[in-house]
Amino acid sequence: SQITTDMKTLTQDIDNFAKNKKLEIEALKIREEYRKEFIGNISHELKTPLFTVQGYISTLIDGAVKDKNIRSKYLRRADKGVERLIYIVKDLDMITQLESGTLRLDIESFDIVQLVQNVFDLLEMKAAKKKITLTFDMDYKKPIMVNGDKERLQQVLSNLIVNSIKYGHERGTTEVSIENLIKNKVIVRVTDNGEGIAKEHLPRLFERFYRVDKSGSRKEGGSGLGLAIVKHIIEAHDEKIYIESELGIGSEFSFTLEKAE
Ligand code: ADP
């Protein structure tokens, strides 16, 4: 009869409602876990440089301030620690904007060859400290015009090249190359002959705060967010990023970009 059919639909509706509510609650729980983990990671990242800075300042207060040499040495180290904290906070700010989708890309046509050259100039000193050679497999007089957010893509190149220096061997090499792909795309490659990454780490490498060697990488002074930021920026451009790496041989990070007509 009509009444039984109505009752049946009603029970089904209630069932569905309950199922959906359950799913909603599950989703909320997962989000809450995610949030807790994120905050936990942040405090962990901030702790090391904060304690370092506090250590130098306390030692100065306890009397080291009287010795002129120690004073300037410790103040410089405290300053470095604060600089590191600022980097971490900037990276956190960037990842939050990228993950919440509130970062707006400012797309324009620009010369990617020139951008690589700029990043090389900025990182020359850092590379020289480890006697690492930065090479660019391009004729810098021949521009390659692409469409993208120049400032964000500068950050992508910078993060990848800084990593190749951090995880590269003394006297190693970092090479950047740009190649035309089919259709309207180019691929930018950043290749190093550094320590490389074992296969089992590759699938998780772009996760925020993921590190291969926890203590070693943290000593190198990153935020653990560099590659997560890189991936988000490339994907916000609707482009792709790839990694190839072999332990003891080196790594190659590459990403695609759209050529400007
Ligand atoms: P961070 O360098 O601050 O730890 P990233 O997100 O930039 O964070 O990198 C994540 C991890 O990936 C690093 O801790 C390191 O273990 C590994 N890694 C990144 N780039 C390279 C590279 N070029 N060679 C070897 N390992 C790398």
Side-chain angles (χ1 to χ4, degrees), residues 36-176:
K36 272 192 202 148
E37 189 195 304
F38 190 38
I39 292 174
N41 280 324
I42 295 170
S43 347
H44 193 80
E45 290 307 320
L46 295 178
K47 246 183 232 161
T48 318
L50 273 174
F51 283 144
T52 310
V53 172
Q54 194 203 21
Y56 287 119
I57 293 176
S58 308
T59 318
L60 284 167
I61 293 171
D62 289 347
V65 72
K66 291 188 196 102
D67 184 317
K68 197 166 152 266
N69 287 331
I70 291 183
R71 183 171 64 213
S72 62
K73 192 160 92 186
Y74 282 14
L75 281 173
R76 264 201 307 274
R77 288 186 188 169
D79 187 51
K80 267 254 171 297
V82 173
E83 190 184 280
R84 178 146 177 229
L85 284 164
I86 292 173
Y87 274 127
I88 296 177
V89 172
K90 275 193 183 157
D91 275 0
L92 280 169
D93 193 37
M94 178 59 63
I95 199 86
T96 310
Q97 287 185 53
L98 284 163
E99 287 191 356
S100 63
T102 52
L103 186 99
R104 285 225 352 259
L105 293 181
D106 186 9
I107 304 286
E108 56 179 322
S109 298
F110 66 91
D111 177 14
I112 182 77
V113 174
Q114 186 60 53
L115 193 72
V116 174
Q117 208 61 50
N118 289 351
V119 177
F120 270 16
D121 291 344
L122 289 170
L123 297 176
E124 203 177 273
M125 293 272 279
K126 202 177 178 66
K129 274 191 195 148
K130 262 178 104 171
K131 301 198 173 59
I132 285 179
T133 322
L134 303 177
T135 66
F136 190 17
D137 178 27
M138 290 320 279
D139 175 358
Y140 67 90
K141 291 192 191 76
K142 273 200 198 134
I144 299 176
M145 299 302 287
V146 295
N147 292 326
D149 185 322
K150 191 174 167 186
E151 203 181 316
R152 297 282 81 88
L153 290 169
Q154 166 154 344
Q155 189 176 7
V156 165
L157 279 166
S158 172
N159 285 5
L160 293 179
I161 298 170
V162 165
N163 277 352
S164 78
I165 298 171
K166 282 198 305 195
Y167 307 108
H169 298 305
E170 286 253 328
R171 290 173 212 283
T173 314
T174 296
E175 180 171 271
V176 176

Side-chain angles (χ1 to χ4, degrees), residues 45 84 91 159-168 190-192 194-197 201 204-214 216-218 220-230 243 245 250-253:
E45 290 307 320
R84 178 146 177 229
D91 275 0
N159 285 5
L160 293 179
I161 298 170
V162 165
N163 277 352
S164 78
I165 298 171
K166 282 198 305 195
Y167 307 108
V190 179
T191 315
D192 67 55
E195 60 191 50
I197 303 152
H201 295 292
R204 300 194 56 193
L205 209 67
F206 290 104
E207 283 176 25
R208 48 170 151 79
F209 301 114
Y210 188 81
R211 286 174 163 128
V212 172
D213 164 16
K214 304 252 174 307
S217 308
R218 205 162 280 125
E220 289 293 343
S223 62
L225 294 169
L227 287 181
I229 290 174
V230 163
I243 170 167
S245 188
S251 313
E252 180 174 288
F253 290 83

